Amino acid sequence: MQGLMMDMPLLVSNLLRHAARHFPDVEIVSRRVEGDLHRYSYRDCHDRAARLADAFTKRGVHVGDRIATLAWNGYRHMEIYYAAAGLGGVVHTINPRLHPEQIAWIVNHSNDAYLAFDLTFVPIVEAIAAHCPNVRGWIAMCGRDRMPATTKIPNLLCYEELLAEGAEGYVWPELDERSACGLCYTSGTTGNPKGALYSHRSTVLHAYAAALPDAMGASARDSILPVVPMFHVNAWGLPYTAPLVGAKLVFPGPALDGKSIYELFESEKVTYSAGVPTVWLGLLQHVSANNLRFSTFRRTVIGGSACPPAMIRAFQEQYGVDVIHAWGMTEMSPLGTLSRLQNKHLDLPKEAQQKILEKQGHVIFGVDMKIVDDDGRELAWDGKAYGNLLVRGPWVVKEYFKGEGGDPLVYDAQGRGWFPTGDVATIDADGYMQITDRSKDVIKSGGEWISSIDLENLAIAHPAVAQAAVIGIAHPKWDERPLLVVVKKPGAEVTKDELIRFYEGKIAKWWTPDDVQFVDAIPLGATGKILKTRLRETFKDYRLPTA
Ligand code: ADP
């Protein structure tokens, strides 16, 4: 017997329509490339997104067509998200920090019909336009008065003029909820990037889950500023979660330095934010150097790479900001786990609570996970056994775009597919997962594994250390040994021996790095994570003193 409930597809357009109807005056504030602050409401955003969808449809954009973006977090980017997905197309966000050649490769692989770009990225578009013959129009995200004076971009369109081609009253189509709505390529640190193709259903379910109190805990009382870019796994779903709950949205545009972010936090009464660990270094430095406080900022999600415990403490103890440590990946839309306490943890001593909050966390409903050994046997949830982390769920990829890389899943005895994350982790008896390392970054020493994350977290807790990275260096006897690479804080002094001694008593002795190298900067990848591949390249001829 079938249930007798209305059969309404889960569609991305419904998120914005809901916000426009039920939170019409809630604001979206954006710092623009032009430098000024733009503000309007969910109703305005919806009406403009609908007009843009109409304009695209009139220009022959069909269901399934890709519309790409090279853009900062801002209201026009949000309009494209909803226009592209709402009409049945696919919003394809591209990371502008990738090399232009890689961007051109991605545009051609995706076969984007249009590409919209912020003015910051004119040089990238000029460099790639000639190599992307299938793009029908390059859309400068500005009004006529700001159009770039360039002859190197054929079929150059003005965003505001394009939008004006659309009529009012566009009706969002009732699509199949399983149809595609968004596309993100993984950063491709090994081999070519691969596309994760999200569906309306997966995106709406992820938005629901993200809003839960033990996930992002977003509500209509929040003013949310995603520092994480809309080109990094859809700003972790916040452009979908915020309208679902009716939260105010604050977009920082290109100004991601500590001072600019702090000013926006204060002027827009931001309560909630999200970003990778490296972006918070600038904010914390600015706030501490100028002796500032946050008036409304209370919680932030930090993920994308391991959040150092020292950063969690700094936020909490000095500024009263709760850090929600989260783990996920492009292939997971991205949320998998977040670390929040449970009822039974509330009476634990603060130190024990802290240890839980430092982990990558507990799954949210929808995602299941397990750890397995190299033969695929499931390992115990005892917080000690570590193995390959596998996940499944309705917002986890089952296959990459265009079948690249074949079938990525591994199958259990019931024939159910699991996605191998490439991460090595432990899971404790309460179901909290902790990442030991990425499997390609883990240091293999004498047949045992050393976690580069643990060594980095300890180093960053030293008062003289601004940034730390640990890589494995080939060793004739032990296979690999850890090398600690450090950027000192401005004006701070510390020696190699002091840093090595700093590890004493905190880890097994044989985990201690064999050497320390001081550098001016540690290379970061396109999403702000430490680029270990580049670091390994830099130190490829380096020999350990113990070798
Ligand atoms: P890429 O880094 O290749 O651009 P993703 O952004 O999808 O791709 O990165 C996903 C990976 O980032 C995870 O598989 C994991 O290795 C790492 N990661 C994400 N969050 C965390 C975290 N909180 N702690 C440790 N590692 C994390």
Side-chain angles (χ1 to χ4, degrees):
M1 189 161 49
Q2 295 253 301
L4 294 174
M5 294 294 119
M6 293 184 191
D7 200 6
M8 285 170 56
L10 302 174
L11 297 180
V12 162
S13 53
N14 284 338
L15 295 169
L16 191 56
R17 186 161 52 190
H18 167 76
R21 226 173 124 69
H22 301 285
F23 302 100
D25 301 329
V26 172
E27 281 184 310
I28 299 176
V29 181
S30 313
R31 193 184 306 269
R32 303 202 293 182
V33 172
E34 293 90 324
D36 59 345
L37 274 192
H38 170 275
R39 56 179 75 236
Y40 71 175
S41 66
Y42 273 120
R43 186 173 21 206
D44 300 328
C45 179
H46 174 269
D47 292 354
R48 280 173 50 95
R51 285 180 72 143
L52 185 61
D54 189 48
F56 275 131
T57 308
K58 284 181 175 147
R59 280 183 174 257
V61 172
H62 294 297
V63 168
D65 283 352
R66 268 80 69 199
I67 295 169
T69 61
L70 275 171
W72 302 110
N73 293 3
Y75 68 105
R76 290 186 180 118
H77 203 175
M78 176 96 166
E79 290 163 6
I80 298 170
Y81 262 50
Y82 281 93
L87 72 85
V90 173
V91 57
H92 169 206
T93 52
I94 304 176
N95 189 332
R97 297 190 186 118
L98 295 173
H99 192 272
E101 253 173 46
Q102 209 171 15
I103 295 179
W105 186 93
I106 291 174
V107 169
N108 289 329
H109 186 271
S110 160
N111 203 16
D112 296 323
Y114 286 87
L115 186 146
F117 59 97
D118 268 329
L119 295 179
T120 321
F121 307 119
V122 168
I124 300 179
V125 175
E126 286 179 332
I128 66 171
H131 305 287
C132 303
N134 294 338
V135 175
R136 304 209 288 269
W138 303 86
I139 307 162
M141 290 164 68
C142 60
R144 175 51 56 188
D145 56 327
R146 297 271 178 168
M147 283 297 280
T150 172
T151 50
K152 293 193 203 138
I153 307 175
N155 307 318
L156 179 63
L157 300 170
C158 164
Y159 182 88
E160 292 298 334
E161 286 177 1
L162 172 70
L163 193 143
E165 291 172 11
E168 270 175 36
Y170 173 83
V171 179
W172 301 107
E174 282 267 303
L175 307 160
D176 176 349
E177 65 176 25
R178 289 184 164 75
S179 55
C181 70
L183 177 64
C184 282
Y185 280 73
T186 60
S187 62
T189 37
T190 50
N192 277 328
K194 295 198 277 291
L197 188 63
Y198 312 115
S199 67
H200 285 264
R201 176 184 154 80
S202 72
T203 304
V204 173
L205 288 175
H206 181 269
Y208 266 119
L212 287 170
D214 282 338
M216 297 225 175
S219 85
R221 288 166 299 291
D222 279 317
S223 169
I224 304 180
L225 187 151
V227 178
V228 52
M230 289 167 78
F231 54 77
H232 187 196
V233 215
N234 302 319
W236 302 348
L238 286 170
Y240 303 114
T241 303
L244 182 143
V245 298
K248 173 176 171 177
L249 264 175
V250 184
F251 288 129
L256 298 173
D257 57 286
K259 181 168 183 287
S260 308
I261 294 281
Y262 178 78
E263 283 170 6
L264 259 194
F265 271 26
E266 289 301 301
S267 66
E268 299 307 323
K269 298 190 167 49
V270 170
T271 56
Y272 195 92
S273 191
V276 297
T278 44
V279 303
W280 301 115
L281 292 173
L283 179 72
L284 286 175
Q285 263 160 28
H286 174 75
V287 175
S288 130
N290 295 284
N291 223 357
L292 302 168
R293 316 293 310 163
F294 297 109
S295 321
T296 51
F297 181 36
R298 292 292 168 266
R299 358 195 253 303
T300 185
V301 172
I302 301 187
S305 51
C307 180
M311 181 174 278
I312 302 184
R313 277 173 202 273
F315 265 120
Q316 212 151 42
E317 290 165 12
Q318 293 165 34
Y319 303 105
V321 175
D322 284 333
V323 169
I324 304 165
H325 193 191
W327 166 85
M329 54 198 311
T330 307
E331 288 90 335
M332 299 179 71
S333 308
L335 287 182
T337 64
L338 299 101
S339 211
R340 313 293 299 261
L341 298 179
Q342 297 175 17
N343 188 283
K344 67 173 169 188
H345 302 136
L346 299 180
D347 294 331
L348 290 177
K350 196 156 173 351
E351 275 306 307
Q353 290 183 343
Q354 197 70 26
K355 283 277 167 247
I356 298 172
L357 294 174
E358 286 168 7
K359 298 192 173 196
Q360 275 72 9
H362 203 271
V363 290
I364 36 178
F365 172 72
V367 176
D368 194 6
M369 66 180 173
K370 64 178 177 181
I371 41 175
V372 299
D373 65 16
D374 285 343
D375 298 321
R377 277 188 301 260
E378 192 165 352
L379 296 169
W381 290 21
D382 59 8
K384 292 194 188 80
Y386 54 84
N388 303 311
L389 180 64
L390 272 52
V391 292
R392 62 195 312 269
W395 54 83
V396 178
V397 290
K398 62 175 178 190
E399 189 181 326
Y400 288 101
F401 187 39
K402 298 188 173 169
E404 289 299 335
D407 182 357
L409 305 186
V410 291
Y411 294 86
D412 62 19
Q414 285 87 45
R416 296 178 311 178
W418 292 77
F419 180 79
T421 63
D423 288 324
V424 176
T426 60
I427 306 177
D428 69 21
D430 289 340
Y432 287 75
M433 183 274 288
Q434 184 158 30
I435 301 275
T436 307
D437 230 326
R438 277 190 164 190
S439 54
K440 47 186 189 287
D441 293 338
V442 79
I443 297 155
K444 301 183 183 78
S445 175
E448 302 269 3
W449 286 4
I450 299 175
S451 157
S452 66
I453 293 180
D454 283 357
L455 297 183
E456 288 158 7
N457 283 345
L458 284 170
I460 206 108
H462 190 283
V465 174
Q467 264 185 299
V470 174
I471 52 171
I473 298 283
H475 191 282
K477 177 160 177 213
W478 301 110
D479 198 11
E480 278 184 342
R481 288 296 302 158
L483 167 71
L484 170 64
V485 183
V486 162
V487 180
K488 283 187 255 187
K489 280 192 184 149
E493 272 315 321
V494 63
T495 64
K496 167 190 158 181
D497 291 338
E498 281 163 356
L499 283 176
I500 298 279
R501 269 204 306 279
F502 192 64
Y503 282 105
E504 265 173 33
K506 301 188 176 98
I507 42 164
K509 207 167 167 30
W510 63 274
W511 276 40
T512 312
D514 282 22
D515 196 13
V516 182
Q517 291 281 307
F518 295 99
V519 294
D520 293 334
I522 285 177
L524 299 181
T527 52
K529 306 184 193 189
I530 293 172
L531 208 54
K532 297 251 170 122
T533 41
R534 177 87 53 82
L535 214 50
R536 281 193 279 265
E537 183 63 24
T538 308
F539 287 99
K540 73 175 189 311
D541 296 326
Y542 162 87
R543 290 281 162 268
L544 285 164
T546 50

